[in-house]
Structures are given as C-alpha cells and as structure tokens.
C-alpha cells in the first residue's frame, strides 16, 4: 500500500474515533426555570354536603381549540357546560393543549391570539352554564400552548393573558389544592413542565421538569405527610414516557414514588393510540428505557405486621393518560371514596349524556393499586371495613327510580348472575350528588382469580330508560387483572423516549458511519477487490437469498470507488453531527433567528438509511460495469439467459423509482421545515436541502451507462 493510501486510512480512523469520543451532551432548560422566582400557593376547599365519604373531580385535556376547526369550541360549549352542571364536581382540571397553534396544513406551529380569545370566551360560557365557581377550574399549559413563545410572560405568551390560572393570579408553576370532607383529605398537585422558552413545533414535544420544579412538587406533596387519611393525586400535561430527566438524573417518577401517589393524571398522547394508555409504576422494579407490561412488578406478599400504623407506605402509583377533546370529545370523572380511586371516561362524539354511572367500590381490578389493595384487604378486621357496601355514583338529568347491582360469575362458559341487589340512595341535607349503596357479603367473593367476578350497575329513570355501567372485573382480595398493551400503546407509554433518544441517536450514527468507513478500510487493505464476478447476473444454481446477500455486500464494497459520492456522503454525515442543520425562525417573532439541530429519529434516520442503501446498490453496478475486463464477462453472462432480469436493467429502473420517492420525501421534509420555521432553503440551509438531491442526481448520472 503506498503512502497516500496509508495517510487516507489514518484520516478515516481519526474521523471514526472523533465520532466515538464526541461528548454525549444535551441541552437543558434548567437555567431557564431557575432564573424565575416561583411562588407556591396552596388552597384548601371544604367540601360540604352528602355523601361525606366521596369527592369527585372532572378532567379535560387536549382541547386544541383552533380557528380552522370551530366545531371543537362549538361542542365544548354545547356539551361540557350542561354536563358539569349535572355532575357538580369539586374540581375541574384541564391538563394542557388548550389551543392548537397550527396552520391549516399542520406545518406552521406558533401562537394565534384569536384562538386564545376563543378559548377565554368558551370557558367563560362553560363556567356560566355549569353554575360552578370559577375558582375550582385549573388549566395548565401543554406543548401546543407554548409554540414559539420566546419568553414566559412576554408579548406572545398568551397563556399568561387568557388562561383561567392567569386570570386568578395563579402565577406559580405548581398548584396545590386540598379537598376536605368526612375526615379525609384529598391533595391535588398540578404542575407545568413545558419548556420556559417554547420552540415552534415539531421539536417542542417533551416535558422538561427542572430540579427546581421537582423540589416544588416534592414540597407540596409533603405538606400532609403526617395525615393518615389522605389521598394524593398529581396532574400535568406530559406522560412520564415523554418527560425528560434533569441534569442530575432525577425525574417526576422519583418524586411520585417517594410520596406514593394514588394516580398521576395527564394528557398529550390522545386516544388514537389506544384505550389503555395507562401505566403502573413500582419502586422495586425500576425501568430506565422501557416497560413491556402495563403493570410493573408483582404484588408484594403482606403479613399481619403490615397492618401496623407504623408500616411503611407503599411505593407505587398509577399513571392515567386520558383521551383528548380534539378528536375523541373525551371527559373523565374521577372519584375518591374512602381512599379508593376510580374513574369513568365519557365520549361526547355521539351527543350529550343523560345518565352517568361511576361505581366507586369495589374497584376495577385492572387499574387498582397492586400493593395497597392487598394491604387493605388483609387489614380490614383491624381498621374497620369500608368493604361492607357496594357503592356507586349516579349523575342524571332525570329522576332515577331504581338502581340495582349485579355481580356475574364468569367461570362458567356463560356468565351467571350470583348477586342481584337493589341499591338505596344516601340522603342528606345539601346533597352534592347521588351515592347509591347496597350491603353484601364481600368475603364470599374472595377468589384467587382477579377477573372471575364482574360488577355492573343498572339504573332506570322515571321514563323507563335503562342505563348500564361498564361490566368491569373486581377482586376483593386485591389481586390485579392483567391488561396487555397493543404495540401502539407500548410505543407511546412503555418506551421512555427521553432516555432512549441519545442511545438510539448514537447507534444510528455509528451504524451509518460503519457503512461508510468499514468498506473503505477493507478496500484499502484487500489486495483482491470484490467485483461482479462473484455475483452472477443470472440465477442458475444460486438461490435468491444468496444473490441478495452477495449483492448487498458488493454494494458496500463498490461505493468507495465512487470517490465523489463517497466523500459527499461522508461530509454530509459530519455536517449533520457537528453543524446546525438549518437556520430559521424558532419563535413567533419574525425578528429573532436562531439555529437548532432538528433531530428526528424516525423519519430522517430512515430516509438517510434508505438513501445510503440505494446508493450502495446503485454504485456497485456502475463501478463494475466500468471495468473493461469484467464488462465482457458480464455481457456474455447476460446473453446466456434470455429470461435474466439483468437484460433490460429492471433493477436499475426500480432503483430509479426509489430515487424519485426519496426525492419526493426529502422535498416534503424541506417544505415542512420551510413552513414550520419560515426558513429560506437557499440561504438558511443549502447543505441540508440540496446535498441529497445533488448526490442522488450525480449517482444517477455516473451509473447511467455500462
């Protein structure tokens, strides 16, 4: 090997080592949040009236009110106000994405004041029609509510101007509300983990809790630790799978486990991903990158000593993402009955609801606590039982005349009714809602199967109309019924994307680098080059699999011979690593131009990988065809088989079609960037926009003839 080749080989090695040792750094919004003074404000609400043992709240999420979709605001006015008047909740929680902030083609994402004015007017109408106090409404920011907001509290931060929290001067990023009734306390802690400086989409996708935010949440959740009869609920916009860790490696999950929440209520993902966008978290089964099952860990065996008042709290909590109003018209009612948390999700796509049934005990065995439920069952003889009655809340526009509870045994092939009991309404002065109860022999339903017995409530109104609750499994002895995710539900809830991002990014970079560098090194070191004579142009005596494997290997080996294309790809890869991909307007203000690295693991990585595979195959054909001593052999081989696919170069035509598809996809990506960030491709990103088309066109030209 001559001196020039040795120097070239050393250059490749140095580039590869530089990629390996590049610091795995990432930006953090920590300093942004710490620069602002946060004022925590707690609020205590005395819930008066019957039923004494139960409180309930309503959650809405992802309203996405848009000037391009007025039907969302229309339905919100039409259905939610009357529904809230019927339900009469103690709190109404709106967990983010209040407005849409998108253009009609969904490419430009920035704040629109018209949408915020509409949001303010719609919520005022909903509050007026519901008859509820405005003080019980809490609305949080989502990622859509801070698209293109360069400064919190600035001219383009419309949340601080039109939201309910802003109108009521709730200026902290953590809101704490305590509901008190019947000797119980129910602590609700809401928080805003959206970025202080909101970039325009589609980069603004993750929640970014800071150390200061975690400290504030921890402080609020700690205020009632001395209380024994307390239930803790947190609410925010981002699921934990889309929430980043702080620079110290801490996350929301650590704080929630420390205080053993009953549930974390969130939004962001929308119902299109599935109905079971829920996840159970447990302290003794940590998961850094993924969780395969909706239930984490296994129930802990409890002994009699666990019933002591000094026993340690369970370290677990549920994460319940709810559907969106945007497409699903979803609303959730969550009830807490003597510490037992249950919920029902409503769908207003088919119209308003005349009767709503929410069983509060026994709990749905699919979504109850895995540790504390077992403990409650074993400790009933010592603590005094809340198990003696079947209980359900019923909200109705018409008078209910008959309510019955039915328990089905599903062990036989055909489920049979083993309990059919009438329920009576709890009467009292100043009733907030209707709670129906029925006594039962709850010990008769203890069973090793968590899904053998199923409960359904039936209600008949004065007009003879019958309404039913969902037929849901229950387990008196605290066993959990298994629920499996679909692949889409696992994709958004089971994968911890903030943790996966960097390993996935660097794995893709190393893979693409190896496709370039390893064949070049082998080409320089091998005395005998791998050429077309090892891949026969017909299928005689060889399987299709052998041809595919040899063809792929040949393409890898032949690409380095196209020096211009190979160096172009290498420079493009280094550009993506070390330089900003484009310059553009990442904020709403037209005068502020910033640069950013737009890294999307899915679409862009797939495009580059497809592009390189195409070039490797295409360049392999060109290089061998240009060698005169192989050209004659190839021509003779082709002529020997009239059915050979090489005769009219159908593979090349197919690859050319792939090239057109790649160029179309790349054009769409460039157009999306131009629309999203108001960039000029000729000035702000010539390398990103034009490198791929130039290299593809050059490769097509160089391989156009034998």
């Amino acid at each position: 090997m001559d001196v020039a080749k040795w120097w070239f080989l050393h250059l490749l090695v140095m580039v590869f080592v530089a990629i390996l040792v590049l610091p795995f750094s990432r930006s953090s919004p920590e300093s942004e949040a710490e620069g602002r003074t946060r004022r925590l404000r707690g609020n205590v609400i005395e819930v008066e009236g019957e039923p004494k043992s139960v409180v309930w709240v309503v959650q809405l999420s992802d309203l996405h009110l848009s000037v391009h979709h007025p039907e969302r605001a229309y339905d919100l006015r039409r259905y939610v106000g009357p529904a809230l008047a019927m339900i009469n909740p103690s709190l109404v929680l709106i967990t983010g994405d209040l407005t849409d902030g998108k253009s009609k083609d969904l490419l430009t994402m920035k704040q629109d004041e018209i949408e915020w004015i509409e949001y303010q007017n719609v919520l005022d109408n909903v509050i007026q029609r519901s008859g509820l106090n405005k003080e019980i409404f809490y609305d949080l920011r989502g990622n859509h509510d801070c698209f293109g907001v360069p400064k919190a509290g600035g001219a383009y931060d419309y949340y601080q101007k039109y939201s309910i929290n802003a109108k009521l001067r709730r200026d902290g990023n953590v809101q704490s509300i305590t509901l008190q009734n019947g000797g119980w306390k129910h602590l609700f802690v809401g928080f805003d983990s959206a970025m202080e400086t909101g970039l325009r989409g589609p980069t603004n996708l993750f929640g970014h809790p800071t150390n200061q935010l975690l400290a504030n949440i921890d402080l609020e959740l700690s205020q009632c630790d001395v209380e024994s009869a307390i239930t803790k609920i947190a609410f925010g916009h981002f699921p934990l799978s889309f929430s980043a860790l702080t620079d110290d490696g801490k996350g929301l999950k650590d704080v929630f486990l420390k205080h053993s929440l009953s549930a974390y209520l969130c939004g962001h993902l929308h119902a299109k991903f599935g109905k079971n966008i829920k996840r159970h978290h447990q302290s003794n089964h940590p998961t850094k990158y993924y969780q395969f099952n909706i239930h984490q860990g296994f129930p802990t065996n409890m002994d009699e000593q666990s019933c002591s008042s000094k026993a340690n709290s369970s370290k677990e909590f549920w994460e319940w993402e709810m559907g969106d109003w945007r497409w699903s018209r979803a609303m959730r009612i969550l009830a807490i009955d003597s510490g037992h948390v249950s919920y029902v999700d409503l769908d207003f796509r088919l119209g308003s609801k005349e009767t709503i049934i929410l069983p509060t005990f026994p709990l749905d065995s699919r979504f109850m606590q895995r540790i504390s439920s077992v403990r409650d069952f074993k400790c009933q003889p010592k603590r005094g039982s809340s198990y003696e009655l079947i209980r359900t809340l019923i909200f109705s526009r018409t008078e209910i005349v008959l309510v019955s509870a039915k328990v089905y045994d599903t062990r036989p092939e055909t489920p049979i009714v083993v309990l059919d009991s009438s329920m009576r309404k709890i009467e009292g002065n100043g009733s907030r809602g209707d709670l129906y109860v029925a006594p039962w022999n709850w010990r008769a339903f203890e069973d090793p199967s968590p899904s053998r017995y199923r409960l359904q409530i039936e209600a008949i109104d004065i007009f003879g109309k019958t309404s039913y609750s969902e037929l849901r499994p229950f387990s008196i002895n605290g066993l959990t019924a298994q629920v499996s995710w679909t692949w889409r539900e696992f994709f958004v809830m089971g994968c911890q994307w903030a943790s996966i991002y960097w390993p996935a990014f660097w794995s893709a970079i190393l893979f693409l680098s190896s496709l370039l560098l390893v064949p070049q090194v082998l080409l320089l070191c091998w005395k005998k080059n791998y050429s077309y004579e090892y891949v026969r142009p017909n299928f005689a005596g060889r399987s299709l699999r052998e041809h595919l494997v040899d063809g792929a290997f040949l393409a890898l080996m032949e690409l380095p011979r196209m020096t211009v294309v190979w160096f172009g790809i290498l420079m493009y890869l280094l550009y993506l690593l070390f330089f900003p991909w484009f310059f553009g307007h990442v904020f709403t203000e037209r005068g502020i131009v910033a640069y950013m690295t737009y890294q999307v693991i899915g679409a862009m990585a797939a495009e580059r990988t497809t592009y390189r595979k195409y070039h490797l195959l295409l360049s392999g054909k060109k290089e061998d065809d240009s060698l005169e001593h192989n050209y004659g052999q190839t021509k003779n081989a082709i002529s020997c088989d009239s059915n050979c696919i090489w005769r009219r170069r159908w593979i090349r035509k197919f690859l050319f079609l792939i090239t057109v598809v790649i160029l179309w996809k790349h054009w769409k990506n460039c157009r999306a960037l131009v629309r999203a960030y108001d960039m000029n491709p000729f000035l702000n990103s010539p390398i990103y926009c034009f490198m791929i088309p130039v290299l593809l066109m050059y490769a097509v030209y160089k391989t156009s003839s034998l």
Side-chain angles (χ1 to χ4, degrees):
M1 182 178 298
D2 56 24
V3 176
K5 288 188 175 181
W6 273 111
W7 276 107
F8 184 68
L9 179 59
H10 290 166
L11 175 62
L12 294 179
V13 173
M14 286 189 291
V15 171
F16 193 77
V17 171
I19 294 174
L20 286 175
V21 300
L22 190 67
F24 284 54
S25 61
R26 61 184 176 96
S27 61
S28 171
E30 185 73 27
S31 59
E32 300 170 357
E34 291 179 348
R36 299 181 62 198
T37 301
R38 296 296 190 180
R39 180 160 58 92
L40 303 181
R41 178 179 299 174
N43 188 19
V44 178
I45 300 176
E46 293 288 343
V47 181
E48 300 178 350
E50 293 290 344
K52 288 292 186 182
S53 62
V54 188
V55 297
W56 55 92
V57 303
V58 163
Q59 181 191 4
L60 290 162
S61 191
D62 296 84
L63 307 182
H64 289 270
L65 300 189
S66 170
V67 295
H68 307 293
H69 297 277
E71 70 278 2
R72 299 172 189 171
Y74 173 78
D75 288 345
L76 198 64
R77 284 192 181 97
R78 182 182 181 185
Y79 297 128
V80 174
L84 292 178
M86 180 177 69
I87 298 168
N88 190 25
S90 299
L91 289 175
V92 179
L93 313 174
I94 310 176
T95 53
D97 283 356
L98 313 178
T99 64
D100 198 38
K102 285 187 176 184
S103 60
K104 191 173 183 179
D105 60 6
L106 306 180
L107 295 179
T108 303
M109 306 178 199
K110 57 183 179 180
Q111 299 304 297
D112 189 334
E113 189 171 12
I114 296 177
E115 293 180 349
W116 282 100
I117 294 174
E118 182 180 45
Y119 170 76
Q120 177 183 250
N121 295 336
V122 169
L123 263 292
D124 287 344
N125 178 270
V126 167
I127 293 171
Q128 181 181 8
R129 297 186 68 182
S130 69
L132 300 175
N133 190 333
K134 191 173 185 177
E135 296 280 344
I136 72 171
F137 285 76
Y138 286 79
D139 53 356
L140 301 176
R141 287 194 311 164
N143 57 310
H144 283 249
D145 304 317
C146 54
F147 278 154
V149 179
K151 180 181 179 181
Y156 289 89
D157 188 1
Y158 298 126
Y159 173 83
Q160 296 295 338
K161 185 177 180 180
Y162 296 105
S163 69
I164 294 176
N165 281 0
K167 292 289 186 181
L168 298 178
R169 301 183 183 278
R170 299 168 183 160
D171 55 355
N173 61 350
V174 177
Q175 305 294 332
S176 173
I177 317 100
T178 302
L179 303 179
Q180 296 185 161
N181 85 314
W184 280 87
K185 288 188 176 182
H186 313 286
L187 176 62
F188 290 80
V189 176
F191 60 90
D192 177 4
S193 62
M195 290 191 295
E196 294 296 320
T197 300
L199 304 178
R200 288 165 66 167
T203 55
N204 191 350
L205 186 63
F206 289 84
H208 293 269
T210 63
N211 284 325
Q212 184 61 49
L213 176 64
L214 296 185
N216 291 347
I217 297 173
D218 181 59
L219 179 62
E220 289 296 336
L221 289 173
S222 302
Q223 62 179 300
C224 297
D225 281 349
V226 295
E227 305 287 344
S228 57
I230 183 170
T231 305
K232 298 180 181 181
I233 305 288
F235 61 97
H237 179 67
F238 296 95
L240 299 189
S241 55
F242 282 82
S243 296
L245 302 178
T246 67
D247 288 338
D248 297 338
K250 298 179 181 179
L252 292 167
K253 179 180 177 179
D254 302 319
V255 179
F256 294 164
L257 285 173
K258 175 182 177 182
H259 296 281
S260 295
L261 296 184
S262 290
Y264 168 52
L265 311 178
C266 59
H268 187 55
L269 294 180
H270 300 189
K272 64 182 180 181
F273 288 105
K275 296 182 178 180
N276 291 318
I277 311 180
K278 306 168 183 69
R279 182 176 177 181
H280 178 263
H281 300 268
Q282 194 168 320
S283 57
N284 57 349
H285 289 82
T287 55
K288 184 177 181 180
Y289 296 112
Y290 57 85
Q291 177 178 318
F292 282 122
N293 195 287
I294 191 173
H295 299 103
Q296 183 180 15
F298 301 94
T300 303
N301 292 328
M302 307 294 296
D303 53 29
E304 290 298 324
Q305 294 180 353
S306 300
C307 296
S308 170
S309 60
K310 298 182 179 180
N312 293 329
S313 300
S314 309
K315 302 299 181 183
E316 62 174 339
F317 70 92
W318 269 100
E319 179 183 3
W320 290 334
E321 202 272 356
M322 72 161 292
D324 57 288
W325 183 263
R326 178 185 184 182
W327 301 118
S328 303
R329 301 297 191 267
M331 185 173 77
R332 172 174 291 168
I333 307 175
L334 181 136
I336 307 175
D337 183 352
S338 303
H340 303 292
V341 183
S342 57
Y343 69 89
V344 63
D345 287 337
L346 308 177
D347 184 349
F348 286 92
R349 285 177 294 184
L350 298 179
S352 60
K353 305 297 179 183
E354 298 297 325
T355 301
I356 302 170
I357 303 175
L358 172 53
T360 62
F361 190 84
L363 296 178
D364 189 331
S365 59
R366 297 169 296 180
F367 308 119
M368 65 183 184
Q369 302 287 22
R370 309 193 76 193
I371 300 175
S372 59
S373 296
V374 178
R375 184 175 186 271
D376 289 345
F377 170 74
K378 291 183 174 293
C379 297
Q380 285 306 313
K382 295 187 178 181
R383 295 176 57 193
S385 178
S386 62
Y387 283 35
E388 302 292 342
L389 300 172
I390 298 176
R391 302 185 291 278
T392 186
L393 287 168
I394 296 182
F395 312 100
S396 181
R397 301 183 191 278
T398 57
E399 181 183 353
I400 299 297
V401 296
L402 179 64
V403 178
S404 61
K406 295 183 179 181
V407 176
Y408 293 83
D409 185 354
T410 62
R411 176 173 291 182
E413 293 184 3
T414 302
I416 59 174
V417 177
V418 294
L419 175 67
D420 188 351
S421 176
S422 296
M423 306 186 75
R424 63 178 179 86
K425 183 170 71 172
I426 299 295
E427 303 290 350
N429 295 328
S431 176
R432 294 176 290 113
D434 294 337
L435 178 69
Y436 289 80
V437 299
W440 66 326
N441 180 16
W442 57 275
R443 292 191 179 277
F445 296 95
E446 181 180 353
D447 193 85
S449 171
S451 57
R452 174 182 175 181
Y453 296 108
R454 296 177 179 262
L455 172 69
Q456 187 173 55
I457 306 298
E458 178 182 314
I460 303 176
D461 66 12
I462 194 172
F463 298 106
K465 182 180 178 180
T466 304
S467 301
Y468 299 92
S469 69
E470 177 190 7
L471 186 64
R472 57 176 63 177
F474 69 89
S475 174
I476 282 297
N477 40 321
L479 302 179
T480 306
Q482 294 297 317
V483 181
S484 298
W485 275 323
T486 64
W487 71 268
R488 297 181 70 181
E489 292 166 347
F490 166 75
F491 185 77
V492 295
M493 286 296 286
C495 298
Q496 195 65 31
W497 288 107
S499 299
I500 290 175
Y501 175 81
W502 285 105
F505 172 76
W506 284 105
S507 297
I509 292 298
L510 292 177
F511 172 73
L512 296 176
S513 302
S514 64
L515 289 181
L516 283 175
L517 301 180
V518 173
Q520 184 67 267
V521 173
L522 295 177
L523 184 64
L524 293 174
C525 295
W526 282 8
K527 294 181 179 179
K528 184 175 181 180
N529 295 326
Y530 199 83
S531 63
Y532 265 127
E533 63 185 14
Y534 293 93
V535 182
R536 307 180 193 280
N538 56 44
F539 292 95
R542 308 192 71 194
S543 66
L544 176 61
R545 179 180 178 182
E546 290 175 327
H547 275 287
L548 292 177
V549 172
D550 285 347
F553 187 72
L554 174 64
L556 288 175
M557 296 302 300
E558 291 296 319
L559 177 61
R561 296 183 180 182
M562 298 182 63
T563 307
V564 174
V565 175
W566 187 88
F567 267 106
I569 298 174
L570 178 61
M571 293 301 103
Y572 182 69
L573 180 61
L574 295 178
Y575 165 76
L576 296 180
L577 279 173
F578 297 104
F579 297 91
W581 287 25
F582 63 89
F583 293 80
H585 297 269
V586 298
F587 301 123
T588 301
E589 286 95 331
R590 297 282 300 183
I592 299 179
V593 179
Y595 71 87
M596 60 185 298
T597 302
Y598 177 65
Q599 302 161 333
V600 179
I601 296 176
M604 300 302 291
E607 178 186 6
R608 292 198 302 272
T609 302
T610 304
Y611 162 70
R612 282 163 174 76
K613 288 182 178 181
Y614 161 70
H615 266 293
L616 291 172
L617 290 172
L618 194 59
S619 64
K621 291 177 63 179
K622 167 65 186 71
E623 184 68 12
D624 268 332
D625 289 347
S626 65
L627 298 177
E628 294 183 0
H629 68 278
N630 288 332
Y631 174 72
Q633 297 178 10
T634 303
K635 186 175 180 180
N636 293 334
I638 293 176
S639 61
C640 70
D641 189 352
S642 60
N643 295 323
C644 180
I645 64 172
W646 306 93
R647 178 178 296 276
R648 296 188 178 181
R649 305 190 70 182
W650 289 110
I651 291 181
R652 173 177 170 78
K653 295 178 181 179
F654 175 73
L655 293 177
F656 183 79
L657 178 62
I658 294 179
T659 302
V660 174
V661 174
I662 292 174
L663 291 174
W664 175 78
K665 176 63 177 176
H666 184 67
W667 176 82
K668 288 192 64 177
N669 289 335
C670 292
R671 178 177 178 270
L673 292 179
V674 170
R675 297 281 288 117
Y677 300 105
D678 294 328
M679 57 171 277
N680 186 322
F682 293 96
L683 300 177
N684 302 130
S685 184
I687 298 179
Y688 173 76
C689 291
F690 301 112
M691 178 67 80
I692 287 180
V694 168
L695 289 176
L696 279 173
M697 292 299 101
Y698 180 79
V700 170
Y701 167 74
K702 292 293 289 184
T703 58
S704 60
S705 60
L706 292 175

